[in-house]
């Protein structure tokens, strides 16, 4: 991707990068000296990201690659996956020095790619405590394991009896050997929903984190097929084979699995958001009959809950939390989400259930009230994917799910042999307790 | 003549996009952060906004939500242009109401085509 960079642009970019470097160094040093200096590190991360993006845009691929590696390392440190102490902050500083010393060469693309990439990645590997391997650019390594795990994930997921199939090291099957869902009968995907989290082995956990992001789309797809069969039995006969057909076209071949996943997510987003922009509740299902609303399912202390998708802005791992003094115990503190400061609420504690966080599977949901007045984040034990729940089958709670929880439950529904309690998010977000402490 | 607002915290990125689009005859204005972007969007009423995600202060996701929620700016097309290239990023980005999501690095031709299709 050769782009013509004029001298003026190069000079301008050099100046821009030079202005960021002290900030980056400062952020790293501050955090190395005091682990509470989260914001300083976040800022360093932002500058690195900016350099990565701008260099990618103007075609400086080596610089972009190197800054991507730094960004990834900083992200892992910010997420608490690796510590940063004085020694490591020195190594990170050396990485930044390396870029500065080679800046001219990087901007004119005359520096030897291999030497600088090797040097930087080795320094960063020391930071994150990984064994020093040969100079494999992090992006290449990551994409290989990502595709590999996508294949393994598909193998585990579509095993017919729902049990964990094989080990993570199982070789991905060739195209023709894929096991498609060929029966329209709903299989219990309860194991499916939890399988990817459980099959996570320590060795694969790093790369799996990237794959984790994809699981929502995959689970969504699985849930889609099941629910629509149940909800519209007469129509499903013609629909289900078509959907099964679709499923057969997505066998676990790498990297095809990822492409299929992207297509699924893209087409779904297109469907729901193609017509309008505002993400209000969409009632239409595929055949246009309005029966189903879309929910995100999650677990707290073994019980399943659901929250309407239009209320959910984002899902992800729980970032580093900055505690805030003099607030209720359920308000764990605040998080910095790409520059936005949000309160983070421990839903278990808020609802009077015992404390559970942190769990390996704990996740954050960023939610908003329908009128956008309140935006906040929640900690849940586990995210179980998406489902369409039929409005007709949402009943007011007859059996109390849990005593202190009942006021916040708007309805209860059965979904794949689980009782799912639909959380009344509006009530929770607009409750006096939450409003008082909302940061939005 | 169609108006495009380019939002990015990096001066180099802004310059690159400006040069690229200017040569195709669009009228370009720029903003370096979310606040400026919202201000200019309301004031200048561009036909399209190219919006970076990671910026100081308000990030592109927040800005996009705000643009789409405000009656004065909700009809302006928004393309998120970012180096956040995970599939989940794209999914959540589009959920903010953006009309399209382009990842850096991009082919200039690809960007131009996308821009043209939304104008």
């Amino acid at each position: 991707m050769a782009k013509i960079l004029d001298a003026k642009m190069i000079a301008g970019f050099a100046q821009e990068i030079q202005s960021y470097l002290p900030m980056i160094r400062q952020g790293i040093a501050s955090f190395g000296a005091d682990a509470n200096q989260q914001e300083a590190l976040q800022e360093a991360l932002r500058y690195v990201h900016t350099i990565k993006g701008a260099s990618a845009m103007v075609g400086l691929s080596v610089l972009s690659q190197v800054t991507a590696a730094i960004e990834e390392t900083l992200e892992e440190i910010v997420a608490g996956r690796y510590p940063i102490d004085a020694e490591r902050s020195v190594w990170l500083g050396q990485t930044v020095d390396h870029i500065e010393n080679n800046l001219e060469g990087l901007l004119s693309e005359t520096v030897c790619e291999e030497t600088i990439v090797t040097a930087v990645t080795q320094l960063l590997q020391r930071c994150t405590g990984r064994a020093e391997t040969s100079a494999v650019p992090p992006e290449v390594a990551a994409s290989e394991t990502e595709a590999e795990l996508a294949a393994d994930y598909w193998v585990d997921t579509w095993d017919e009896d729902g049990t964990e199939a094989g080990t993570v090291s199982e070789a991905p099957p060739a195209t023709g050997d894929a096991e498609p869902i060929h029966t329209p009968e709903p299989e219990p995907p309860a194991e499916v929903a939890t399988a990817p989290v459980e099959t996570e082995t320590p060795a694969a956990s790093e790369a799996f984190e990237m794959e984790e992001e994809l699981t929502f789309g995959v689970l969504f797809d699985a849930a889609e097929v099941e629910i629509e069969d149940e909800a519209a039995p007469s129509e499903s006969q013609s629909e289900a084979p078509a959907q099964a057909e679709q499923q057969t076209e997505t066998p676990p071949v790498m990297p095809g699995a990822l492409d299929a996943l992207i297509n699924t997510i893209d087409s779904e987003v297109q469907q729901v958001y193609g017509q309008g922009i505002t993400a209000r509740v969409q009632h239409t299902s595929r055949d246009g009959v309005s029966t189903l609303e879309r929910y995100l399912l999650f677990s707290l202390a073994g019980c399943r809950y659901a929250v309407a998708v239009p209320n959910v802005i984002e899902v992800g791992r729980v970032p580093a939390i900055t505690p805030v003094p003099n607030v209720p115990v359920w308000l764990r503190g605040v998080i910095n989400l790409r520059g936005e400061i949000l309160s983070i609420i421990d839903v278990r504690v808020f609802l009077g259930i015992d404390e559970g966080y942190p769990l390996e599977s704990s996740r954050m949901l960023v939610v908003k009230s329908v009128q956008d007045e309140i935006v906040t984040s929640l900690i849940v034990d586990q995210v179980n994917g998406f489902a369409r729940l039929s409005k007709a089958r949402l009943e007011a709670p007859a059996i109390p799910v849990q005593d202190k929880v009942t006021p916040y439950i708007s309805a209860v529904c059965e979904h794949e042999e689980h009782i799912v309690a639909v959380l009344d998010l509006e009530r929770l977000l607009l409750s006096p307790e939450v409003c008082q402490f909302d940061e939005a | 003549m169609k108006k495009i607002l380019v939002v990015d915290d990096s001066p180099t990125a802004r310059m690159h996009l400006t040069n690229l689009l200017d040569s195709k005859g669009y009228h370009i204005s720029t903003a370096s952060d979310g606040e400026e972007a919202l201000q200019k969007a309301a004031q200048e009423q561009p036909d399209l906004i190219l919006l970076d995600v990671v910026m100081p202060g308000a990030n592109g996701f927040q800005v996009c939500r705000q643009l789409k929620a405000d009656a004065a700016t909700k009809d302006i097309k928004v393309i998120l242009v970012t180096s956040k290239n995970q599939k989940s990023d794209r999914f959540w980005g589009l959920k903010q109401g953006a009309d399209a999501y382009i990842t850096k690095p991009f082919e200039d031709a690809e960007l131009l085509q996308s821009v043209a299709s939304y104008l």
Side-chain angles (χ1 to χ4, degrees):
Chain A
M1 206 190 328
K3 301 194 187 189
I4 300 165
L5 274 184
D6 59 37
K8 188 175 158 203
M9 192 105 161
I10 293 179
F13 198 18
Q15 209 174 24
E16 184 186 334
I17 295 175
Q18 290 285 13
S19 73
Y20 297 156
L21 291 175
M23 251 77 92
I24 296 171
R25 285 204 180 87
Q26 195 178 4
I28 293 168
S30 301
F31 192 73
D34 176 7
N36 289 322
Q37 295 290 324
Q38 287 271 352
E39 260 199 56
L41 194 67
Q42 294 265 15
E43 219 182 74
L45 179 55
R46 187 172 58 73
Y47 285 118
V48 171
H49 178 91
T50 300
I51 300 175
K52 180 189 88 168
S55 53
M57 209 191 270
V58 299
L60 297 172
S61 56
V62 178
L63 179 56
S64 171
Q65 205 175 321
V66 158
T67 43
I70 302 174
E71 186 190 15
E72 196 185 306
T73 309
L74 287 176
E75 274 174 348
E76 292 181 338
I77 291 168
V78 163
R81 287 199 273 283
Y82 296 106
I84 179 168
D85 49 27
E87 195 180 11
R88 284 186 164 98
S89 84
V90 166
W91 290 329
L92 266 173
Q94 284 177 350
T95 309
V96 176
D97 287 343
H98 224 82
I99 295 188
E100 187 170 21
N101 296 338
N102 288 287
L103 196 57
E104 210 183 292
L106 284 164
L107 290 173
S108 59
E109 298 241 276
T110 54
V111 70
C112 175
E113 175 171 334
E114 196 162 294
T115 47
I116 191 165
V117 170
T118 304
V120 168
T121 40
Q122 278 176 350
L123 280 167
L124 294 176
Q125 279 165 352
R126 288 166 81 187
C127 279
T128 53
R130 290 186 198 135
E132 285 184 31
T133 55
S134 58
V136 178
E139 55 177 26
V140 173
S143 63
E144 274 173 359
T145 38
E146 191 180 347
E148 222 170 65
L149 279 157
D152 290 325
Y153 174 75
W154 279 96
V155 172
D156 287 342
T157 308
W158 297 120
D159 190 58
E160 281 193 328
D161 62 11
T163 55
E164 298 166 24
T167 63
V168 177
S169 59
E170 187 174 327
T175 324
D177 298 336
E179 280 247 293
I181 299 270
H182 41 258
T183 69
E185 283 153 24
E187 293 170 12
E191 285 80 44
V192 168
T194 53
V197 180
E198 285 158 16
T199 53
E200 184 174 319
T201 65
S205 61
E206 281 161 30
F208 187 80
E209 275 139 21
M210 290 169 67
E211 173 58 15
E212 272 249 304
E213 307 290 85
L214 297 171
T215 58
F216 303 123
V218 178
L219 291 166
F220 178 47
D221 203 48
E224 278 266 282
V225 176
E226 308 308 339
I227 297 302
E228 295 204 352
D229 281 338
E230 285 171 11
S234 53
E235 287 147 345
S236 74
Q237 300 312 315
S238 50
E239 249 193 271
Q243 297 201 353
E245 275 281 296
Q246 263 184 332
Q247 293 302 322
T248 64
E249 285 164 15
T250 59
V253 178
M254 50 181 204
L258 285 176
D259 289 334
L261 184 54
I262 298 164
N263 289 335
T264 308
I265 295 177
D266 280 349
S267 67
E268 186 54 34
V269 171
Q270 192 59 43
Q271 253 174 35
V272 179
Y273 300 108
Q275 290 84 9
I277 299 299
T278 50
R280 299 294 178 215
V281 174
Q282 300 287 327
H283 291 274
T284 52
S285 61
R286 282 198 174 131
D287 53 359
V289 176
S290 66
T291 51
L292 306 169
E293 287 184 33
R294 295 166 63 236
Y295 289 86
L296 178 75
L297 304 181
F298 62 92
S299 305
L300 297 173
C303 288
R304 299 223 163 185
Y305 296 85
V307 61
V309 164
N311 285 118
V312 182
I313 300 174
E314 196 172 325
V315 183
R317 283 186 173 259
V318 183
I321 300 176
T322 305
V324 176
N326 300 326
V327 295
V329 67
W330 46 261
L331 184 57
R332 289 217 163 242
V334 292
I335 57 170
N336 184 338
L337 194 71
R338 293 188 298 269
E340 188 173 358
I341 306 294
L342 296 174
S343 304
I344 188 156
I345 295 172
D346 189 328
V347 193
R348 267 177 82 143
V349 178
F350 184 85
L351 296 176
I353 311 168
D354 63 336
E355 207 179 303
Y357 177 78
L359 303 171
E360 181 60 43
S361 56
S362 290
R363 293 292 179 269
M364 156 196 77
L365 307 183
V366 181
V367 294
K368 68 172 178 69
S369 57
V370 169
Q371 301 300 325
D372 292 336
E373 306 116 345
I374 314 274
V375 179
T376 190
S377 58
L378 311 174
I379 300 174
V380 300
D381 286 356
Q382 192 179 67
V383 173
N384 301 114
F386 294 92
R388 288 186 180 220
L389 301 176
S390 166
K391 252 191 143 177
R393 287 191 284 138
L394 290 178
E395 306 148 1
I399 314 152
V401 178
Q402 253 166 322
D403 291 320
K404 293 167 194 173
V405 165
T406 311
Y408 293 103
I409 305 299
S410 62
V412 166
C413 157
E414 193 176 320
H415 172 68
E416 287 148 12
E417 295 164 21
H418 290 272
I419 300 285
V420 175
V422 179
L423 199 65
D424 188 340
L425 202 63
E426 293 294 308
R427 176 171 284 201
L428 194 149
L429 292 174
L430 298 172
S431 68
E433 298 96 315
V434 174
C435 274
Q436 210 179 353
F437 294 102
D438 174 53
E439 295 278 336
Chain B
M1 185 161 54
K2 298 289 186 174
K3 293 188 286 188
I4 303 181
L5 173 62
V6 171
V7 185
D8 199 308
D9 58 331
S10 160
T12 306
R14 287 199 301 271
M15 203 183 342
H16 177 80
L17 285 169
T18 303
N19 291 345
L20 179 63
L21 295 165
D22 195 62
S23 68
K24 296 295 173 188
Y26 298 109
H27 180 266
I28 312 296
S29 82
T30 62
S32 57
D33 60 40
E35 208 178 292
E36 201 187 338
L38 290 167
Q39 216 175 0
K40 289 204 173 178
Q43 244 172 351
E44 298 173 10
Q45 293 290 318
D47 300 291
L48 173 71
I49 301 176
L50 293 178
L51 185 53
D52 184 24
V53 171
V54 176
M55 293 188 290
N59 63 59
F61 280 14
Q62 280 176 287
V63 172
C64 186
R65 282 204 298 277
Q66 196 115 330
L67 286 168
K68 294 301 180 181
D70 193 346
T73 51
K74 70 174 168 60
D75 295 316
I76 305 175
K77 299 292 180 193
V78 174
I79 300 183
L80 290 169
V81 181
T82 171
S83 55
K84 292 192 93 44
N85 56 7
Q86 293 299 309
K87 314 299 174 273
S88 59
D89 292 318
R90 166 186 286 271
F91 180 74
W92 294 112
L94 291 172
K95 208 183 182 313
Q96 309 307 311
D99 297 274
Y101 192 99
I102 293 183
T103 53
K104 305 175 192 173
F106 49 78
E107 290 288 337
D108 289 347
E110 182 199 328
L111 179 83
L112 289 171
Q113 200 176 31
S114 196
V115 164
S117 69
Y118 283 99
L119 287 178

